[in-house]
Amino acid sequence: MKLNLFHTKEVKEPHIDIHYRQMTPVIEKVIRLVREDKPVLYGISQREEKVLLDINAIYYIDSVEKRVFAYTKEAVYRLSGNLQQLEAELADYGYVRINKSNLINIYKVDRIKPEANMRVMAIFDNGEKLYINRSYKKNFQNYLESRREVLKIENSQRD
């Protein structure tokens, strides 16, 4: 698949043109991504300021005593809502539940390391570590496999 990007200062509104001979899963995904708005997450900083968060910058989301927090490289933000709502909202954007109190952004995971008692450790690119509990391990593997299939299709389209 060929991709052309043009940076033009005169463009008033960004636009995307897709030329295709046959509709493929990759093209369908691109269309969905363009048509859908990303979920908007607002966090409350430690200085009690309301901040618009980029979901791609979040490493993981943690639930502690009925409060939900988003962890980025620079700071921690309190979120509204609950973990179950966020899990449903962010599933299409690389987030998966790994235990009863954590969602992780798989795009921030550097590696996965097997541990004792059939648990698995997710090690992030910033060095932080979280455990994937046994009861969530199969769901985690299925999620990774589904994301890998999307990448396989994208890569085969490039060749």
Side-chain angles (χ1 to χ4, degrees):
M1 184 178 293
K2 183 178 175 184
L3 175 65
N4 296 316
L5 301 173
F6 304 97
H7 178 251
T8 309
K9 293 181 181 181
E10 295 78 32
V11 172
K12 293 187 182 354
E13 181 180 345
H15 64 276
I16 297 173
D17 297 322
I18 299 175
H19 304 265
Y20 63 94
R21 181 183 316 248
Q22 181 179 351
M23 184 60 68
T24 65
V26 173
I27 294 171
E28 289 173 352
K29 181 180 177 189
V30 169
I31 292 168
R32 277 194 313 275
L33 287 172
V34 171
R35 287 187 176 156
E36 292 176 355
D37 289 336
K38 279 187 189 176
V40 176
L41 285 183
Y42 287 98
I44 306 297
S45 71
Q46 293 174 341
R47 291 184 281 187
E48 296 298 316
E49 299 170 330
K50 190 174 187 178
V51 177
L52 177 62
L53 298 174
D54 176 5
I55 63 170
N56 298 322
I58 297 171
Y59 280 76
Y60 63 94
I61 298 173
D62 187 27
S63 177
V64 180
E65 296 177 3
K66 297 186 181 182
R67 289 186 139 180
V68 181
F69 299 91
Y71 291 76
T72 66
K73 193 171 190 171
E74 299 82 27
V76 178
Y77 300 93
R78 190 175 73 240
L79 303 175
S80 61
N82 63 46
L83 208 56
Q84 187 175 4
Q85 292 168 332
L86 291 168
E87 180 180 13
E89 245 181 89
L90 299 172
D92 290 339
Y93 300 95
Y95 286 80
V96 63
R97 176 86 66 108
I98 61 163
N99 56 47
K100 70 177 187 169
S101 61
N102 292 117
L103 291 176
I104 64 170
N105 180 349
I106 63 167
Y107 299 113
K108 296 290 187 183
V109 174
D110 185 46
R111 63 189 185 278
I112 305 296
K113 181 180 172 188
E115 292 285 316
N117 299 328
M118 298 195 46
R119 291 194 328 180
V120 177
M121 182 186 295
I123 303 169
F124 295 91
D125 59 23
N126 67 353
E128 286 199 57
K129 302 170 185 173
L130 289 175
Y131 283 102
I132 301 166
N133 286 359
R134 284 180 285 181
S135 57
Y136 290 88
K137 185 178 169 185
K138 184 70 173 166
N139 182 51
F140 177 77
Q141 289 172 330
N142 290 341
Y143 186 81
L144 285 182
E145 202 55 44
S146 72
R147 301 308 282 184
R148 190 175 294 141
E149 286 302 316
V150 170
L151 291 175
K152 276 184 193 175
I153 293 169
E154 290 172 353
N155 289 335
S156 70
Q157 294 294 322
R158 288 184 197 151
D159 296 337

